[in-house]
Amino acid sequence: MNLADIEAGGETMLTVGPGALRDALKHHFGFDAFRPLQQEIINDVLSGRDVFALLPTGGGKSICFQLPAVLGSGLTVVISPLIALMKDQVDALTTAGVPATFLNSSLEPEEVRERMRGLDAGTYRLLYVAPERLALPRFAADLERWNVARFAVDEAHCISEWGHDFRPEYRRIADLRAHFPDRPFIALTATATDRVRDDIIERLALRAPRVYVASFNRPNLTYRVSPKQGAPDSLVAWLRARPGEAGIVYAQSRASAQMLADKLCANGIAALPYHAGLSADVRGRNQDRFLRDDVRVICATVAFGMGINKSNVRFVVHYDVPKNVEGYYQETGRAGRDGLPAECILYFSHGDINKFESFIAQKTDPKEQSVARAQLEKMTRYAYTNGCRRRELLAYFGETFAGENCGSCDNCLDPRAEIDATLEAQKLLSCVYRMRQKAGGGFGIMHVIDVLTGKYNKKVEQWQHQELSTFGIGKDVAPARWRHIAGELMRLGLIAADAAQFKVVSLTEQGRLALVKRTPVVIREAAVAPLQASKSKAAQAEPDYDNELFEALKAARREIAGEQNVPAFVIFSDKVLRAMAREAPSTLTAMRAISGVGDKKLADFGERFLTVIRAVRG
Ligand code: ADP
Ligand code: ZN
C-alpha cells in the first residue's frame, strides 16, 4: 500500500502497513522513524480503539493523534488546557501542510465565525479547543455537523483531582463522551500515578482502552546537583562556558527570578525575566523572544513553561530547591526535547529547605502539611543521594532503572570516594537499637544524633537517654557528619525512617544483621562538587558539523520565522539545521533525506536553505 492509497482510503477503520505509516510520517512531519510506542499507539487509534498513553515530556505525544488525523477522514478534535500552546501547534501543523485550526477565548468574534465556516466546509483535519468551549450551548451540535472522527484529550491528568493540575472544566469532557458514545477517545498525559491513571480512564469512560506506558527515562538529559554557595557567580561562569546555548533558569520567587535576569545581563549574557510581577504583555513578549531565539536565557518562576515546546532548550537550571520531585521532573523535562544532549542543574542549599520547612509549619490543614513534608523529604533525598540520580527520579515514578551506572548524572560520572565507616555504623546502629529497647518506640534521626554526640537537652532528660551506654560514644564526630553517615546507612538499607510516623528511625533486618555480625560498611563521601564551568557535553564534543554553516542556517531560519510570524522551531528544529550543516546537501532530494524535513517544508523553504549552503560552502 502506498501513500496515495491511504489518502484516498478515507474511512476511520484503517489498517496501514508499517512501511506506509513510516512513509506518511516522513511525508507530513519529516521524521524517519517512530519514537517508542508511537507506532503502536497510532495503529490502535487508526483501528478506532480507545487509547490511554502515558509518555514523558518530549516523548512525542502529538504525533499519536496528528498522524491519524491526516491519514483518516473526518475531524480530530483535540482538547487542551494550554491556550498558548494551541497557536504554536496549529502554526507548526500549518507550516507542515496539515490543515488545522483552534477555537479559544483569545480570538475575536469575526475570527471565530471564519473558522467555524471552515469547519462547516470540512477544511480542517484538526481542531484544538479549550475545555471551556465544551460548556457553550450548541457546541455539541456544531461538533455533530463537523464529522468528528475522534477526540484526543491532551494533558488528560487535568481531569483528576488526584493529579497535580486539576482543572474542573475538564470534567465536561465526560458529557462529550456521553454525547458521542461511538467515537474513539485518546487520552494523553506525561504525568500520572496509578491512581490518576485509573481516575482518567474511569472519568473519560474509556472502553477497553489499550494502555501504553513509556519509560520515563530521558537518556539525553544529564542530572547534576551543585551547592548554592558561590552562586550566582558560578552560574555566570557556567553559562559563559556554553555560548549560544539556550535554556531556562527557574527560581522560586519573583524577586529571585528578576535578580538572576539582571545579574546575567550585567555579565553580558542575554537573559529576560518571566514572573507574575510583570504585566501579561511583557511576559508574553519575553516568552516570544525566548522562543524565537532572540534571547538565550529566560529566568522564570514555575509559571513559565507549561506548554512551551521549544525543542532546543539545552539546559534547565533550578536556582532554588523545588517543592517536589514531580514538578522537578516536569520542569527538567523541558530540556532536550529534540533528543540532543541537555543538562539539568539543581542548586541545593539547607537554607532553602529550612525556608520551606517554616513555610510548611504555617499551614493550618494537617493533611496538606504532611503531604508537603513528605514531598520535600523526597526532594531532599534526591539532592542528598550518593546513588544514581536517574535511578532516584525514575523510582519516584515507580520505574526501576536497569544498569549500574547511567553515565550521565554527577554521581555516576564522578563517583565520590568510598570510605570504610564500619565503626561509625556500629555506633549508630547500636544507638538506634538501644534507644528503641529502652523506650519501646522510636525517635527521629536528629535525636539519635544528639544522644550519640552526648548532647544533654530536654528530650534526653525526659527519656533518661543519658543513661544509655551509647550516650556520647560519637562525640568525636561532628553532628553534620553523623547526618551524612545516617543518610548513607539509609541508602544502604541498614536503617529506615518511617515517613508516616514522624520519620522515626528503626533498624532494618539487614541493619540488625550488620550490627550483630559486625559487617564491614562502606559509605561514600559527602559533599557534592560545586558546578564546574567546564563546557557542556554537547560543546565539548568536537562539533561534527560546520559551525559557520549552522549559524548561517540559523540566521535564515530566524528571517523566515520573522516573515511568517511563528517561532523559529516551527520552521525547522536545531537538530535539523545541524544535520544540514553536517551533510551540506546540494539538492532538494538530498535535503529530503534529513530527518525532520517533510515534503511541504521542503517545497516551501528548501531552496532558501540550499542557497545559504551554496553561499557558505561556495
Ligand atoms: P510531548 O507532547 O510528548 O511532550 P511533542 O509531541 O511535543 O512531545 O514532541 C516533542 C518533540 O519531538 C517535538 O519537537 C516533535 O516534533 C519531536 N518528535 C515527535 N515524534 C518524533 C519522531 N518520531 N522523530 C523525531 N522527532 C519527533
Ligand atoms: Zn546516574
Side-chain angles (χ1 to χ4, degrees), residues 266-279:
N267 283 279
I269 296 166
L272 284 172
Y274 186 102
H275 55 74
L278 302 168
S279 71

Side-chain angles (χ1 to χ4, degrees), residues 388-391 405-409 411-412:
C388 174
R389 299 202 196 275
R390 185 175 308 275
R391 183 193 319 264
N405 188 311
C406 82
S408 50
C409 77
N411 287 335
C412 288

Side-chain angles (χ1 to χ4, degrees), residues 32 338-341 538 541-554 573-586 590-591 593-597 609 612-613 616-617:
D32 292 337
D338 52 13
L340 296 170
E542 200 49 37
D544 57 352
Y545 54 87
D546 176 343
N547 203 43
E548 189 196 343
L549 180 52
F550 179 58
E551 291 301 325
L553 292 168
K554 275 214 291 205
S573 71
D574 276 14
K575 198 173 178 175
V576 171
L577 295 195
R578 281 187 202 186
M580 281 190 198
R582 184 169 46 237
E583 328 244 306
S586 55
M591 186 174 274
I594 290 171
S595 177
V597 181
F609 285 100
V612 173
I613 295 169
V616 174
R617 282 297 180 88

Side-chain angles (χ1 to χ4, degrees), residues 124-159:
Y124 303 110
R125 288 305 180 92
L126 287 116
L127 166 67
Y128 285 77
V129 293
E132 290 79 358
R133 188 132 305 247
L134 307 178
L136 297 186
R138 301 207 37 78
F139 189 63
D142 289 336
L143 288 175
E144 297 216 47
R145 277 201 321 278
W146 297 337
N147 182 25
V148 176
R150 65 186 67 81
F151 293 93
V153 182
D154 209 358
E155 314 287 346
H157 59 277
C158 293
I159 203 171

Side-chain angles (χ1 to χ4, degrees), residues 14-25:
L14 266 176
T15 39
V16 183
L21 215 53
R22 242 192 341 268
D23 288 350
L25 180 72

Side-chain angles (χ1 to χ4, degrees), residues 223-526:
Y223 301 98
R224 285 179 191 280
V225 176
S226 165
K228 202 162 175 178
Q229 222 174 12
D233 291 336
S234 61
L235 178 62
V236 169
W238 188 81
L239 290 172
R240 280 198 177 134
R242 328 175 132 56
E245 291 185 8
I248 308 170
V249 178
Y250 279 112
Q252 281 295 326
S253 69
R254 299 175 191 185
S256 171
Q258 187 66 50
M259 175 281 286
L260 286 165
D262 294 345
K263 172 88 185 175
L264 297 187
C265 287
N267 283 279
I269 296 166
L272 284 172
Y274 186 102
H275 55 74
L278 302 168
S279 71
D281 246 22
V282 174
R283 276 205 309 267
R285 206 162 48 228
N286 290 359
Q287 168 173 325
D288 254 23
R289 291 192 55 197
F290 178 64
L291 293 182
R292 278 157 211 234
D293 288 334
D294 276 352
V295 58
R296 75 174 176 112
V297 183
I298 193 128
C299 299
T301 53
V302 290
F304 179 79
M306 257 296 245
I308 295 304
N309 67 350
K310 181 177 164 75
S311 66
N312 66 338
V313 173
R314 293 270 69 81
F315 55 84
V316 169
V317 174
H318 281 75
Y319 191 75
D320 303 311
V321 177
K323 285 194 189 73
N324 59 59
V325 178
E326 193 174 358
Y328 182 65
Y329 176 84
Q330 288 308 321
E331 282 142 28
T332 55
R334 289 168 192 147
R337 281 197 180 206
D338 52 13
L340 296 170
E343 297 167 280
C344 309
I345 308 293
L346 170 66
Y347 272 110
F348 184 79
S349 84
H350 295 289
D352 282 357
I353 298 293
N354 293 342
K355 237 185 280 171
F356 267 133
E357 268 168 1
S358 54
F359 183 69
I360 292 171
Q362 286 163 21
K363 284 188 190 285
T364 44
D365 179 354
K367 179 153 173 261
E368 218 180 288
Q369 208 171 43
S370 78
V371 169
R373 277 218 176 94
Q375 287 182 330
L376 187 60
E377 157 104 22
K378 286 197 174 118
M379 198 62 235
T380 315
R381 201 176 113 169
Y382 172 79
Y384 272 129
T385 188
N386 280 323
C388 174
R389 299 202 196 275
R390 185 175 308 275
R391 183 193 319 264
E392 190 78 26
L393 276 180
L394 291 176
Y396 186 82
F397 295 97
E399 193 176 328
T400 313
F401 178 68
E404 258 314 297
N405 188 311
C406 82
S408 50
C409 77
D410 50 359
N411 287 335
C412 288
L413 287 168
D414 323 295
R416 287 171 243 163
E418 300 201 316
I419 47 171
D420 181 279
T422 310
L423 188 64
E424 289 88 345
Q426 285 289 325
K427 288 180 180 176
L428 197 143
L429 293 175
S430 76
C431 195
V432 171
Y433 176 76
R434 299 226 175 273
M435 287 167 73
R436 277 219 164 231
Q437 202 185 30
K438 186 168 166 69
F443 298 88
I445 194 67
M446 294 320 281
H447 184 59
V448 174
I449 291 172
D450 284 348
V451 173
L452 265 174
T453 52
K455 192 161 149 194
Y456 193 81
N457 59 24
K458 265 220 176 84
K459 200 162 173 184
V460 166
E461 191 186 330
Q462 181 192 346
W463 292 94
Q464 296 285 297
H465 279 153
Q466 76 278 12
E467 287 171 8
L468 289 173
S469 59
T470 53
F471 186 74
I473 53 166
K475 256 204 292 273
D476 51 330
V477 173
R481 177 82 187 150
W482 276 119
R483 233 190 135 149
H484 171 66
I485 295 169
E488 282 293 282
L489 297 187
M490 233 169 261
R491 178 177 72 83
L492 295 169
L494 302 181
I495 55 175
D498 189 343
Q501 273 207 53
F502 310 104
K503 297 196 252 172
V504 153
V505 179
S506 61
L507 298 193
T508 61
E509 179 55 19
Q510 204 188 339
R512 200 187 58 77
L513 284 174
L515 181 60
V516 293
K517 293 193 172 162
R518 301 197 136 259
T519 319
V521 174
V522 174
I523 64 166
R524 292 209 196 129
E525 255 327 330

